[in-house]
Amino acid sequence: MVLEFMIAHVSDLHVGSGEFMPEKLETCIDEVNSLSPDLVALTGDLTNSGFEREYKQAKDYIDKFKAKTVVIPGNHDTRSTGYIYFEEYFGEANQVLDLGNVTVVGVDSTLPDNDEGYLGRDRYLWLSKNLGRVEKKDFRIVLVHHHLIPVPGTGMERNELIDAGDVLATLVSNKVNLALCGHRHVPYTWQLENLMVITCGTACTGYVRARISQAYFIINVKDDSMKITLKEVDGKEKFLRSIKY
């Protein structure tokens, strides 16, 4: 299989918060558009409080991305029954996207008005059912807002996806190549067996820890290799790793 595919991974916009930086988001959008990726993956917390006015504003920004976008909710998006607005503005929270030799599955890990996340047995089965339909050699991507593996430097060395172990087992057993997460605003990468787990930072808020800039990831997939680069918004880029899968 010949495969060449670029993903821009952007997360945690928090539109509507006091720390939202619209100029950073505009710059991020311009930078991503200049790269012409095949997919822009947005892993939740588009809004800060789940209000409709925030959803309207977030949708206006996200519509400026020229590439195909896939969007899942975060815990902030489902506050105040904001999950209702998510479906009105962005569609189903659990979704499957077929992009030829690439399959993208977005899964909702949120619990309304709760910062922790959970999938549960029904969604393990849903993931397995949909991933089981994928061609054997296809590249498989899963989006989930809450991080699957503890992220260093967050002050909380624990999973905020309550059932992370079961979810990881489900992804590995279904030969998922790439899991994209958000939530903690600290960019980090882990490799677990043949699964690469990427936790994104925030692209456009001041909710960052010391010496961490607003940033997003660029993932280049070519044949059987994956190149991962962290890009600061309006700043430098840092090549992190290249792996075979």
Side-chain angles (χ1 to χ4, degrees), residues 9-126:
H9 179 200
V10 182
S11 196
D12 291 78
L13 312 182
H14 288 278
V15 171
S17 80
E19 293 291 332
F20 175 58
M21 304 164 76
E23 71 285 354
K24 287 284 187 182
L25 183 51
E26 292 281 7
T27 300
C28 173
I29 292 167
D30 289 342
E31 290 179 355
V32 168
N33 285 340
S34 73
L35 296 171
S36 300
D38 298 284
L39 179 72
V40 179
L42 294 120
T43 49
D45 282 358
L46 316 171
T47 70
N48 198 59
S49 300
F51 298 143
E52 186 172 21
R53 63 177 179 271
E54 296 175 346
Y55 269 106
K56 286 180 178 178
Q57 191 177 3
K59 181 72 161 57
D60 286 343
Y61 281 115
I62 291 169
D63 282 348
K64 294 180 182 180
F65 286 112
K66 295 178 181 179
K68 178 71 177 177
T69 59
V70 58
V71 184
I72 60 168
N75 54 295
H76 281 260
D77 300 318
T78 58
R79 290 180 175 177
S80 309
T81 61
Y83 52 84
I84 295 172
Y85 294 126
F86 182 89
E87 292 186 353
E88 288 180 4
Y89 284 88
F90 295 104
E92 292 290 333
N94 299 292
Q95 56 189 293
V96 181
L97 184 63
D98 182 358
L99 298 172
N101 292 330
V102 178
T103 297
V104 184
V105 180
V107 61
D108 181 7
S109 62
T110 65
L111 297 167
D113 295 306
N114 194 317
D115 287 339
E116 292 184 320
Y118 179 74
L119 291 194
R121 189 168 183 273
D122 285 349
R123 287 185 184 150
Y124 311 154
L125 295 173
W126 179 85

Side-chain angles (χ1 to χ4, degrees), residues 62 82 150 185 210 225 241:
I62 291 169
H185 300 192
S225 66
R241 63 166 79 188

Side-chain angles (χ1 to χ4, degrees), residues 1-4 137 139 177 194 220-227 242-245:
M1 177 183 67
V2 177
L3 176 62
E4 191 164 0
K137 293 185 178 180
F139 191 84
N177 302 101
N194 289 323
N220 286 283
V221 179
K222 187 171 183 180
D223 297 331
D224 62 348
S225 66
M226 192 185 319
K227 178 182 176 183
S242 181
I243 67 163
K244 297 283 186 179
Y245 62 86

